[in-house]
Amino acid sequence: MDIWTYQSVEYVTVAGESWLASASEYPRSMRALWESRPWAPTVLPCGRVFDVISMPAVFGRAVLDELWASGPGCGPVASFRGRTLLFVQPGAAPRLRTLLAWEEWAREVPPLLCHGQGDAVTVPPIQRMVDAPVSPGQGAGRWIVAPDSREPWLPGAATVLWACVRASRAKTQPEVSEA
């Protein structure tokens, strides 16, 4: 039996695949590529359908926890080469970069890479082989929250900024023991 026909452990829905493909200048070609090689990572441009905020993996986990604990949650999120890739609204990357430039935020938040118009990012495969190794920082990356709709909710710059600030402050708060 062909290993590519097994049910994937991590996958992007058909609607999510359509959304991702719409970021490409040639969406039909992108979908054809994924049909023939669903396990291959892909490079997609930012700025049209989404921007991407890339952050260190551990900090990214804390930011995701803040996004889910304090409200709206998040849209698609991937892990690639030891970094968390948070998909955000188009235009949010340069806005977040500007907001983070304020001295009061820059001290608390680790360096973030804000990918917007004119940038491109490598996104994980739309499917992962069942037997593929999952080792942090290695391979083609993986989806933490896979795209599952044609119009996923994407956070804006202000939402991401406050999640980053809360995550960095929580990290620096001394633990209080209950006596």
Side-chain angles (χ1 to χ4, degrees):
M1 186 173 241
D2 183 2
I3 64 171
W4 308 115
T5 59
Y6 289 150
Q7 176 66 34
S8 175
V9 173
E10 296 172 2
Y11 67 95
V12 175
T13 65
V14 173
E17 178 184 328
S18 181
W19 173 74
L20 277 173
S22 71
S24 170
E25 192 171 339
Y26 305 102
R28 289 192 316 208
S29 296
M30 188 59 56
R31 296 198 68 186
L33 171 69
W34 286 331
E35 188 173 310
S36 65
R37 299 180 59 208
W39 61 89
T42 310
V43 175
L44 291 174
C46 297
R48 181 181 308 166
V49 176
F50 55 77
D51 283 358
V52 173
I53 308 302
S54 174
M55 53 191 81
V58 173
F59 183 70
R61 172 63 190 263
V63 169
L64 292 179
D65 288 346
E66 286 296 331
L67 286 169
W68 283 100
S70 65
C74 67
V77 180
S79 174
F80 186 73
R81 294 190 176 170
R83 297 194 60 91
T84 298
L85 306 178
L86 177 63
F87 287 70
V88 297
Q89 295 173 357
R95 176 85 175 120
L96 182 62
R97 196 177 304 122
T98 300
L99 291 170
L100 287 169
W102 291 0
E103 188 175 330
E104 64 185 287
W105 311 128
R107 286 189 306 255
E108 298 178 22
V109 176
L112 306 179
L113 303 175
C114 300
H115 302 286
Q117 186 70 38
D119 296 327
V121 294
T122 301
V123 298
I126 60 167
Q127 289 186 337
R128 182 175 62 83
M129 291 184 294
V130 173
D131 297 332
V134 182
S135 49
Q138 303 297 318
R142 67 181 186 86
W143 289 103
I144 297 169
V145 178
D148 62 357
S149 73
R150 184 74 172 97
E151 296 181 21
W153 180 82
L154 300 172
T159 302
V160 175
L161 172 69
W162 288 110
C164 288
V165 169
R166 285 191 306 270
S168 63
R169 286 180 180 166
K171 182 178 71 173
T172 60
Q173 295 292 326
E175 291 193 28
V176 177
S177 61
E178 295 180 25

